[in-house]
Amino acid sequence: MTPDRVLVDAKRTVADFHDALDRSSTTDLAEVVAKHTVDDYRWRGVDPLGDHRGADAAVEAFHLPLRTALSPLQRRTDVFCAGRNDVDGGASVWVLSMGHLMGLFDRPWLDIPPTGRMAFLRFAEFNRVEAGRVAETALFCDVIGMMAQAGQYPLPPPTGAHFVYPGPRTNDGLLVDQQDPAEGQATMDLVNRMVGDLSDLNDVANATGDDTCPPEVLARTWHDDMIWYGPTGIGATYTIDRYQAQHQYPFRLNLTAKGFNGHVARFAEGTYAGFFGWPNLTNTPTGGFLGLPGANTPADMRVVDVYRRDGVRLAENWVFIDLIHWLSLQGLDVLGRMRQLLGIESIVPAPEAS
């Protein structure tokens, strides 16, 4: 094994950053973020968190409001790994962390009303590391999951099951030490084959209208007892058969004109892999997906996939979709409607000034 020390150093950079964040107070958050990031640091998050430049903007958009709402904030990481980006031929190095941010939900966050009880914000964070500092962060978190915990679930019943998702079944997702590069390459090759199979199906569907997927296609790269942990609004599902019934077919049959836009980062280390796009996909809802009517409006999906490989097939998949952004492109402001229902905003337009 020829270890890749660059990946170990990158993971140490991000681990030190997270440790400093977790030990900081609300008054020194900006100083901590600035110390561990580059001057032109880019931070982007799911809607409505936004896309920002600089430490101060990242703290104002995310760190301080969440720290104020969930206190004391505790980071519970289930997967931690790094890799050279398969998208740019390995030119950039990224670190993935995934798990939950937990605390007592005592103050509003994004106007979601507090519960006074424990709340778990599911997250996946991608950090690009340059010369010992974080140059770029992409933070995906399940905002609709927080709404559900506060009794403000905004969608029809999901097809899968929603709960506080566990980490890997094998309890080996924290890859702090050096990993065999051959294992990471095997994982990356398997994920790329799986993505290629799905892309081929999309090409057939766009050309012929046949959007079916024989289970044998999935069985090429997935174990029969696969577990798919989807975002709140879709839920989790277990085994190939139930995955197809509870997510794949609702997705494939109720969304058309699927286009793949590429990934910002895609990498693997050991038996774990992850990717995200901004956006990954563009599709058009024809009615039925998420239990909603069709809009016939193309909309972008920002998606994260985190995988665990077991032998020659994939065993577990944690998925994040920026559904609030996808719905907003079709004219549905999920958080705005919640504010109206709570009386924070009026549904009646203000009169025009004379």
Side-chain angles (χ1 to χ4, degrees), residues 132-150:
R133 301 180 83 182
V134 176
E136 181 178 357
T137 298
L139 188 283
F140 286 73
C141 58
D142 195 344
V143 176
I144 295 178
M146 284 289 284
M147 295 176 69
Q149 291 173 71

Side-chain angles (χ1 to χ4, degrees), residues 22 73-79 97-103 118-123 164-167 174:
D22 295 345
L73 190 67
Q74 187 177 110
R75 185 186 306 271
R76 304 179 67 88
T77 305
D78 296 314
V79 174
S97 56
M98 185 199 78
H100 295 85
L101 296 169
M102 182 273 289
M118 294 171 65
F120 287 77
L121 177 62
R122 184 171 172 247
F123 78 92
V164 176
Y165 296 156
L174 304 181

Side-chain angles (χ1 to χ4, degrees), residues 19-248:
D19 183 58
L21 273 175
D22 295 345
R23 288 186 289 105
S24 66
S25 67
T26 55
T27 58
D28 62 359
L29 273 169
E31 179 183 349
V32 167
V33 175
K35 179 181 178 181
H36 290 84
T37 59
V38 301
D39 292 341
D40 193 29
Y41 173 55
R42 182 181 185 184
W43 188 96
R44 52 183 157 180
V46 296
D47 272 4
L49 301 176
D51 193 332
H52 305 279
R53 290 283 181 176
D56 289 346
V59 168
E60 183 178 349
F62 177 69
H63 295 289
L64 184 56
L66 186 68
R67 183 74 66 88
T68 302
L70 294 182
S71 179
L73 190 67
Q74 187 177 110
R75 185 186 306 271
R76 304 179 67 88
T77 305
D78 296 314
V79 174
F80 186 72
C81 62
R84 295 181 180 271
N85 192 356
D86 193 56
V87 175
D88 60 17
S92 59
V93 172
W94 290 79
V95 178
L96 162 67
S97 56
M98 185 199 78
H100 295 85
L101 296 169
M102 182 273 289
L104 294 172
F105 194 4
D106 283 346
R107 292 180 179 85
W109 182 61
L110 303 178
D111 290 324
I112 301 169
T115 65
R117 300 180 177 90
M118 294 171 65
F120 287 77
L121 177 62
R122 184 171 172 247
F123 78 92
E125 183 182 87
F126 290 76
N127 286 288
R128 180 169 59 84
V129 176
E130 288 183 355
R133 301 180 83 182
V134 176
E136 181 178 357
T137 298
L139 188 283
F140 286 73
C141 58
D142 195 344
V143 176
I144 295 178
M146 284 289 284
M147 295 176 69
Q149 291 173 71
Q152 301 297 322
Y153 183 68
L155 298 171
T159 50
H162 175 248
F163 47 94
V164 176
Y165 296 156
R169 181 184 181 188
T170 45
N171 298 313
D172 62 356
L174 304 181
L175 308 187
V176 177
D177 299 324
Q178 299 176 139
Q179 304 295 314
D180 184 349
E183 289 293 307
Q185 189 60 56
T187 305
M188 192 77 270
D189 291 344
L190 179 61
V191 168
N192 286 339
R193 287 201 303 275
M194 181 271 300
V195 171
D197 286 345
L198 295 179
S199 295
D200 290 344
L201 288 173
N202 288 341
D203 290 342
V204 170
N206 290 335
T208 67
D210 179 5
D211 223 336
T212 58
C213 174
E216 293 81 11
V217 173
L218 292 180
R220 296 173 192 166
T221 52
W222 290 96
H223 284 287
D224 289 339
D225 62 348
M226 65 174 287
I227 306 177
W228 190 88
Y229 302 101
T232 308
I234 300 173
T237 187
Y238 173 48
T239 74
I240 285 179
D241 288 346
R242 294 297 171 87
Y243 167 74
Q244 289 201 293
Q246 295 173 355
H247 173 62
Q248 189 184 46

